[in-house]
Amino acid sequence: MGRQKIIGVILGSIREGRVNDRVARWVTGQLERHGFATRLIDPADPGLLPVQIGDKAAIGSLHQRMQGLDGFVIVTPEYNHAEPGPLKTLIDSSGPGWFARPVGLISYGGMSGGLRAIEALRIILAELHTVTLRDTVSFVSPWRRIDEAGRIADPEDAAAVEAAMAVFAHRLDWWADALAVAREGRPYDPEEG
Ligand SMILES: Cc1cc2nc3c(=O)[nH]c(=O)nc-3n(C[C@H](O)[C@H](O)[C@H](O)COP(=O)(O)O)c2cc1C
């Protein structure tokens, strides 16, 4: 595919003072470095926050933001061994923008680096007709490693996660291409075929 692919970057936390922004800044920078354009889908954005209480205008705006994307990357913490509630509500409100798209999962948290949130999300995302990437990137204690601008201070640390991100970006690109060809070939929905 010749044109630049656009990836929706979805945040998981709406907590004031969240670490999510730092991790998402690093992720967005990396995706752009690997040639993707990005579109932020932030459940704490004032226009999207009312999605949490089922506000129709906010849900409409979410559907619009989810449309026409080549794939998604979710950047989420883990709370009590799962994804945060606001992320689940956002996903539950999000409509068909996901269908036949790849989704990459990037997590953070304490000792587990949020890996259980990733595994919990895979089950949910299968229901949304997505393909989740096998490869992930996760951060143990990102609050000690990533600054407000999304920079990783320690060069060895940065090199290790950048290497993981290079594999992740390659797989995301591969699946985005493969699924775009498949969608163009024939409709995903059986009733349209
Ligand atoms: C109620 C609560 C439960 C948590 N549960 C987990 C957990 O199960 N696994 C983990 O790795 N971190 C856990 N954490 C740590 C969070 O992942 C960490 O605070 C992270 O910074 C939250 O993301 P945020 O700052 O972007 O909201 C928990 C934190 C809280 C407050």
Side-chain angles (χ1 to χ4, degrees), residues 12-192:
S13 176
I14 62 169
R15 191 180 68 81
E16 268 185 56
R18 64 188 179 183
V19 176
N20 214 156
D21 295 296
R22 302 190 203 187
V23 186
R25 276 186 200 116
W26 180 84
V27 169
T28 301
Q30 289 291 308
L31 288 171
E32 288 168 2
R33 188 176 144 193
H34 287 285
F36 297 101
T38 57
R39 185 188 298 169
L40 192 65
I41 300 170
D42 179 359
D45 178 300
L48 294 182
L49 194 55
V51 163
Q52 300 298 327
I53 55 164
D55 179 83
K56 285 199 170 63
I59 291 172
S61 156
L62 173 63
H63 288 199
Q64 235 175 356
R65 286 192 81 69
M66 302 274 302
Q67 278 309 312
L69 294 168
D70 296 286
F72 298 88
V73 171
I74 298 179
V75 185
T76 186
E78 177 175 298
Y79 280 94
N80 290 325
H81 293 199
E83 77 290 344
L87 173 60
K88 177 64 162 62
T89 301
L90 185 98
I91 293 170
D92 293 344
S93 313
S94 57
W98 302 98
F99 285 26
R101 261 73 179 182
V103 184
L105 298 161
I106 295 185
S107 69
Y108 60 94
M111 294 282 278
S112 75
L115 289 172
R116 289 163 299 208
I118 286 184
E119 296 312 317
L121 281 166
R122 288 189 195 283
I123 298 168
I124 297 162
L125 290 163
E127 191 62 16
L128 275 303
H129 306 256
T130 71
V131 176
T132 56
L133 305 192
R134 179 266 185 196
D135 298 273
T136 61
V137 180
S138 71
F139 290 91
V140 172
S141 307
W143 43 89
R144 293 203 202 100
R145 299 161 59 191
I146 310 178
D147 69 13
E148 292 291 343
R151 284 180 307 236
I152 299 176
D154 179 59
E156 268 184 44
D157 186 13
V161 277
E162 281 170 22
M165 192 66 195
V167 176
F168 179 98
H170 174 82
R171 303 269 203 252
L172 180 63
D173 191 55
W174 193 96
W175 277 109
D177 273 341
L179 293 173
V181 169
R183 289 194 307 273
E184 276 156 28
R186 60 188 171 134
Y188 178 69
D189 279 327
E191 58 270 25
E192 286 177 33

